[in-house]
Amino acid sequence: MSGSSIVSPGEARGRRRRLWLFAVLAVAVAVVDQLVKRWILAGFELDVPVQVVGDYLRIVLIHNAGGLFGVFQGQALVFAAASLVVMAVIVWFEATAGRESLVLTVALGLLLGGAVGNLIDRLRFGYVLDFVDAGVGTWRWYTSNVADMSISLALVLLVLTALGLLGGEAFALHGRSSGR
């Protein structure tokens, strides 16, 4: 993009598409996260593992009153406030830099949706509902949820993009001549 502040109709259309994609992804992740958590709450008991794929993948409903990996237990209000700041930064970053890469737009939409999903839990319950438990025997990964998985995928996309392994321009929406 040149240093000019004049935006062509094609660029404006591409930018609107990216913002639409960003918003739809964020809303979809938050809604799916909350619907799955509702299903988990209705059908599973707290701290009772249910095997899905042997001992490798289980559903175990837990209340995570901390942050990622369960750190900083009992700080729901601090995490809620931090989440609001992070969400504002994500929206600002998408509005200013998201036009550069479709991969960035997707990553930021996933990140925002995950942050919203977990924020809803913190505000409703004072903790986050986690339920996906993966591992082998006593070696377990952290228990997570749909929002966490969305955030993890977003972070992988951001790291791969930062390392130059995902070229944003290969996925660009602008510059199409189809008039869509």
Side-chain angles (χ1 to χ4, degrees):
M1 213 170 157
S2 69
S4 171
S5 63
I6 298 172
V7 177
S8 74
E11 288 174 322
R13 230 180 356 264
R15 187 69 197 123
R16 283 190 302 272
R17 287 180 182 158
R18 293 248 176 94
L19 286 173
W20 180 250
L21 175 63
F22 169 76
V24 166
L25 273 173
V27 169
V29 166
V31 167
V32 168
D33 177 67
Q34 290 300 302
L35 289 173
V36 171
K37 287 173 180 172
R38 179 177 285 211
W39 173 70
I40 293 293
L41 276 174
F44 295 87
E45 293 180 43
L46 189 63
D47 293 321
V48 177
V50 175
Q51 292 186 348
V52 176
V53 180
D55 193 46
Y56 302 109
L57 182 63
R58 308 180 306 188
I59 294 177
V60 182
L61 174 60
I62 66 164
H63 297 166
N64 181 356
L68 185 63
F69 306 118
V71 297
F72 304 115
Q73 291 293 316
Q75 302 295 319
L77 289 178
V78 172
F79 280 111
S83 294
L84 291 172
V85 171
V86 168
M87 291 183 327
V89 169
I90 292 168
V91 171
W92 170 82
F93 199 72
E94 173 58 28
T96 58
R99 66 180 165 265
E100 302 300 324
S101 164
L102 180 58
V103 174
L104 183 58
T105 293
V106 168
L108 293 173
L110 292 170
L111 200 56
L112 181 61
V116 169
N118 283 338
L119 176 63
I120 291 169
D121 284 6
R122 281 187 172 74
L123 295 176
R124 282 181 65 199
F125 307 117
Y127 50 82
V128 174
L129 296 170
D130 287 333
F131 54 87
V132 177
D133 177 56
V136 177
T138 58
W139 186 86
R140 313 303 300 173
W141 188 242
Y142 70 97
T143 305
S144 64
N145 59 46
V146 173
D148 294 338
M149 289 181 250
S150 177
I151 291 168
S152 296
L153 177 58
L155 293 176
V156 167
L157 290 173
L158 291 172
V159 167
L160 291 175
T161 300
L163 293 174
L165 299 174
L166 287 179
E169 289 309 310
F171 302 100
L173 290 176
H174 60 80
R176 287 185 169 174
S177 60
S178 64
R180 283 184 260 171

